[in-house]
Amino acid sequence: MTYSTITGLGFYVPENVVTNQDLTQYMDTTDEWIRERTGIEQRRYFTYGKDTNASMATAASRMAIDRAGLQTSDIELIVFATITPDYFFPGSGFLMQRELGLEGIGVIDIRNQCSGFVYALSIADQFIKTGMYRNILVVGSEIQSTWINKSTAGRGVAVIFGDGAGAAVLQATEDPEHRVLSTHLHADGRYAEDLYRS
Ligand SMILES: CC(C)(COP(=O)(O)OP(=O)(O)OC[C@H]1O[C@@H](n2cnc3c(N)ncnc32)[C@H](O)[C@@H]1OP(=O)(O)O)[C@@H](O)C(=O)NCCC(=O)NCCS
């Protein structure tokens, strides 16, 4: 039986560090409150003119591919999760594909909010299990700092978000000891309106 396994991970974070103390300029909060509730000490915000959703994803992907010991040309499919694409269309996955020089292979852009990367991983896992592909790039990239409400009204949400990208290379394996065990997708639309209001 063919399974999927993660053989390389990569990340990119922008240079711009925003500490909890920095956030107190915009909202009524404290370093202590944020650390106690979330464990977060700092986050990164993108630099305008340098970082884009696709450029961050490209950097993270190059690292993941390198760590997997693969060439970029070995990648057969990209599954790209984001809710903050550079454009409404084309999706950032296609922009990243161009950056990586992988024109011609399939790209699936998905937007499943916080669970996007898990959904992307699950999609890649299914394609590998069916034998369709053996090397898949799974990416999550977000620029959240442009939409979060940094005033006191939005503090419950704003303190946990930042910008950055992560990538994983999934490869086919016959080794049952080192594999993605299983993935199970669930969602609950009943809370959609609450999230919209926040
Ligand atoms: C961070 C978090 C875990 C803290 O949970 P909590 O400890 O239960 O705290 P609450 O959010 O219920 O807020 C408790 C109090 O702290 C206040 N508070 C909220 N954010 C604050 C902040 N950043 N600094 C100071 N006080 C804050 C609230 O206004 C509330 O005050 P009140 O009791 O006077 O009304 C929670 O706010 C959270 O999950 N936020 C993220 C939600 C989100 O983004 N979800 C989408 C991701 S998919």
Side-chain angles (χ1 to χ4, degrees):
M1 167 120 189
T2 301
Y3 306 102
S4 68
T5 187
I6 296 172
T7 56
L9 293 171
F11 72 93
Y12 173 87
V13 287
E15 285 169 5
N16 182 21
V17 174
V18 177
T19 65
N20 294 342
Q21 189 59 34
D22 292 335
L23 291 181
T24 64
Q25 296 170 58
Y26 315 113
M27 64 181 79
D28 180 13
T29 191
T30 62
D31 177 47
E32 191 189 4
W33 193 98
I34 300 170
R35 279 182 198 239
E36 244 175 42
R37 265 60 171 207
T38 69
I40 296 170
E41 297 174 12
Q42 54 173 243
R43 75 282 299 137
R44 306 287 179 105
Y45 286 178
F46 86 118
T47 302
Y48 187 76
K50 177 170 186 258
D51 301 309
T52 66
N53 181 299
S55 76
M56 297 193 307
T58 303
S61 295
R62 287 195 199 285
M63 186 191 290
I65 292 167
D66 189 51
R67 287 180 170 178
L70 294 183
Q71 302 295 315
T72 306
S73 56
D74 293 323
I75 299 299
E76 299 164 291
L77 178 74
I78 295 168
V79 190
F80 194 109
T82 187
I83 58 164
T84 54
D86 295 307
Y87 306 105
F88 191 66
F89 73 92
S92 291
F94 299 89
L95 302 179
M96 186 192 78
Q97 178 196 38
R98 185 181 60 184
E99 291 300 309
L100 291 174
L102 282 173
E103 291 90 342
I105 69 167
V107 178
I108 302 171
D109 267 47
I110 62 168
R111 40 164 304 173
N112 283 77
Q113 300 84 39
C114 298
S115 55
F117 197 87
V118 177
Y119 271 74
L121 197 67
S122 178
I123 291 167
D125 185 43
Q126 312 313 314
F127 272 118
I128 286 179
K129 278 182 180 158
T130 62
M132 183 82 179
Y133 300 114
R134 293 191 69 82
N135 305 318
I136 302 181
L137 182 60
V138 176
V139 188
S141 182
E142 302 289 359
I143 292 183
Q144 306 278 10
S145 60
T146 52
W147 70 265
I148 48 176
N149 178 354
K150 300 189 196 75
S151 73
T152 297
R155 63 185 178 175
V157 171
V159 296
I160 65 170
F161 283 99
D163 306 333
V169 171
L170 252 73
Q171 290 192 263
T173 180
E174 273 66 47
D175 177 3
E177 298 299 318
H178 301 93
R179 64 179 169 104
V180 173
L181 297 178
S182 65
T183 60
H184 303 271
L185 302 182
H186 301 277
D188 193 341
R190 285 177 300 176
Y191 300 102
E193 198 173 331
D194 295 344
L195 284 170
Y196 177 73
R197 286 200 181 120
S198 73

